[in-house]
Amino acid sequence: MVKFLDLQAQYDSLKKEIDNAISNVVADAAFVGGKYVDLFEKEFAEYQSAKYCVGVGNGTDALEIAIEALAFPCGSEIIVPANSFIASSEAVTRSGHKVVFCDCDDENYTICLTSLESKITPKTKAVMAVHLYGHPCDMDGLLDLAEKHDLRVIEDCAQAHGAKYKGRDVGSIGDVGTFSFYPGKNLGAYGDGGAITTNDKELANKCRMIANHGRIKKYEHDFEGRNSRLDGIQAAILSVKLKHLNDWTNKRIEVANYYLESLKDIDGIFLPKREIWAMQVYHLFVIRTGNRESLNKHLIEDGIQTGIHYPISLPKLSAYKYLNQIDESFNANKNDKFILSLPIGEHLTLEEIEKVANSIKSFYNRKKNDLL
Ligand SMILES: *Cc1c(COP(=O)(O)O)cnc(C)c1O
């Protein structure tokens, strides 16, 4: 069986370090806040080259808190790419603003700048740059547009820990970056977790206060906030795992390079483009095929797990029917029928990735012979 994700194998490889980290937190009773959270925030800020990092409850909260801290007038429009996880757009509406979807690039799947520009109105206050699948957005072009139209830039880095745009770490290029440590992400906790990164001291402070009942000091509440904090056990686990993240990312890139090379001559599948300016961390390796159902069935029969990210584009979800963006001629609105995510991750052996590539090749060979 070639697994899509294997968190047990990862735990087995780190068991001693992780168990030790957890028992330290328990022994110190540093459950909420405290030194393990402080340490991880410092390490993660450094890792992403951001001046500040605020640990929060999860990646969705990170987005909501960042949006609240940016303090847009109620009902502002925030532009979100049409292919993402619903958390990206949910955070906009939940914060009292209006989601406007724009299209994604047909080759690298991140936000399409032409489409983005066409959606800007006088009410637009921000754009969400989702570094989808681990591929950074075209940030120079995006920042130019943002400057021209006076927009804030929120980077949704939930899939892009360690990704770089022209050598710059994501999460500190725009005004604010948000991360998820959901277990299946490239850097995952043992439960929910998230973080906000920024170079803006005031903004970081505001986020920290919102996430902790509007206070810095106990019982001195400057305003109403909420409760969304990274807990000590998760922080200690994340500190252990962060030390291995570069190795894991390199492994993901190796797997991706193998797929890109071994599948490049197959007619009928489109491979994801890695832009020359991108250090892509391959949270997902997404191919496109007109034969998704039969190819997927063939892979499953060969014992290979796959996924689809995402099977319904955001504008087509029932939740967004009211926006009337279902029929827009977006790449994202048509590609959701063709995309297929192949297994990728540090858990895969060379044998396993060969198996995936060979299974795909045999599917297309059989198909070609059927036609003859
Ligand atoms: C996972 C994810 C989120 C949400 O993170 P949670 O920690 O699950 O709340 C937001 N945006 C994107 C692109 C994601 O993949």
Side-chain angles (χ1 to χ4, degrees):
M1 174 86 121
V2 181
K3 290 187 178 170
F4 193 74
L5 181 70
D6 194 345
L7 295 175
Q8 283 100 335
Q10 194 191 61
Y11 172 62
D12 288 343
S13 76
L14 302 174
K15 189 172 177 351
K16 253 175 125 171
E17 285 174 87
I18 297 272
D19 290 356
N20 195 35
I22 294 172
S23 60
N24 286 342
V25 178
V26 176
D28 291 339
F31 299 120
V32 175
K35 65 178 180 184
Y36 298 97
V37 175
D38 293 348
L39 179 63
F40 174 70
E41 285 178 342
K42 193 169 157 276
E43 290 170 345
F44 195 64
E46 240 164 68
Y47 189 79
Q48 295 296 150
S49 312
K51 282 197 184 130
Y52 309 97
C53 168
V54 179
V56 295
N58 56 69
T60 311
D61 281 2
L63 283 167
E64 283 187 30
I65 291 163
I67 292 169
E68 186 179 335
L70 288 166
F72 304 117
C74 191
S76 294
E77 292 175 5
I78 300 181
I79 301 175
V80 175
N83 186 17
S84 186
F85 181 58
I86 191 172
S88 305
S89 47
E90 214 172 28
V92 172
T93 320
R94 285 269 149 197
S95 311
H97 303 300
K98 184 175 184 236
V99 181
V100 175
F101 290 117
C102 75
D103 201 6
C104 299
D105 186 87
D106 210 26
E107 300 190 323
N108 69 42
Y109 300 103
T110 65
I111 195 163
C112 166
L113 299 185
T114 320
S115 175
L116 163 64
E117 188 162 27
S118 76
K119 296 294 178 191
I120 297 172
T121 74
K123 283 177 130 178
T124 310
K125 293 289 179 250
V127 51
M128 195 177 292
V130 182
H131 303 301
L132 196 74
Y133 306 156
H135 192 294
C137 301
D138 181 359
M139 293 307 287
D140 278 345
L142 196 138
L143 292 174
D144 281 349
L145 278 179
E147 196 186 328
K148 191 167 138 199
H149 299 275
D150 196 21
L151 311 179
R152 304 296 103 205
V153 176
I154 302 152
E155 296 178 70
D156 181 346
C157 312
Q159 304 188 358
H161 317 71
K164 292 179 205 297
Y165 170 78
K166 296 186 181 168
R168 297 177 64 190
D169 291 287
V170 299
S172 55
I173 305 172
D175 294 278
V176 63
T178 64
F179 289 84
S180 165
F181 304 123
Y182 180 77
K185 300 290 159 99
N186 286 23
L187 178 63
Y190 283 10
D192 279 311
I196 299 165
T197 53
T198 181
N199 289 328
D200 180 334
K201 188 174 181 178
E202 237 170 83
L203 193 67
N205 209 26
K206 184 96 181 279
C207 289
R208 191 176 289 290
M209 289 178 79
I210 293 170
N212 193 19
H213 303 291
R215 71 183 167 193
I216 294 288
K217 278 202 203 127
K218 209 167 186 174
Y219 304 126
E220 286 180 26
H221 306 272
D222 291 358
F223 56 86
E224 283 181 325
R226 59 196 285 178
N227 177 3
S228 181
R229 298 174 298 219
L230 182 65
D231 68 63
I233 290 179
Q234 302 308 340
I237 290 166
L238 288 166
S239 284
V240 170
K241 290 178 74 169
L242 185 59
K243 294 183 183 69
H244 300 274
L245 185 55
N246 284 347
D247 289 342
W248 293 340
T249 299
N250 289 336
K251 187 69 202 289
R252 283 176 184 273
I253 294 169
E254 276 173 31
V255 175
N257 287 344
Y258 183 89
Y259 286 152
L260 288 170
E261 183 56 33
S262 60
L263 303 176
K264 70 175 193 291
D265 295 326
I266 300 181
D267 257 354
I269 65 173
F270 179 83
L271 296 169
K273 185 174 179 199
R274 175 171 58 204
E275 303 290 349
I276 47 163
W277 37 258
M279 147 88 172
Q280 142 76 306
V281 296
Y282 291 103
H283 175 59
L284 295 165
F285 190 92
V286 176
I287 63 168
R288 227 154 63 212
T289 163
N291 312 99
R292 182 170 72 187
E293 212 174 313
S294 44
L295 174 61
N296 200 19
K297 191 162 162 272
H298 175 89
L299 288 167
I300 290 166
E301 280 164 8
D302 277 352
I304 295 160
Q305 293 182 337
T306 58
I308 299 174
H309 303 86
Y310 292 89
I312 308 171
S313 70
L314 293 174
K316 286 158 71 178
L317 290 174
S318 304
Y320 295 115
K321 236 184 180 150
Y322 74 97
L323 290 176
N324 277 321
Q325 290 198 269
I326 300 174
D327 296 323
E328 292 223 39
S329 57
F330 284 170
N331 298 319
N333 284 344
K334 66 174 203 299
N335 286 341
D336 60 4
K337 289 183 284 300
F338 306 130
I339 49 182
L340 183 67
S341 309
L342 302 182
I344 193 159
E346 84 286 347
H347 63 287
L348 296 172
T349 62
L350 179 61
E351 217 172 27
E352 287 176 315
I353 53 178
E354 277 171 359
K355 185 175 165 179
V356 176
N358 288 336
S359 176
I360 295 172
K361 282 182 203 164
S362 81
F363 173 83
Y364 279 99
N365 278 337
R366 228 166 56 188
K367 207 169 142 34
K368 204 156 66 185
N369 293 336
D370 283 348
L371 288 177
L372 286 174

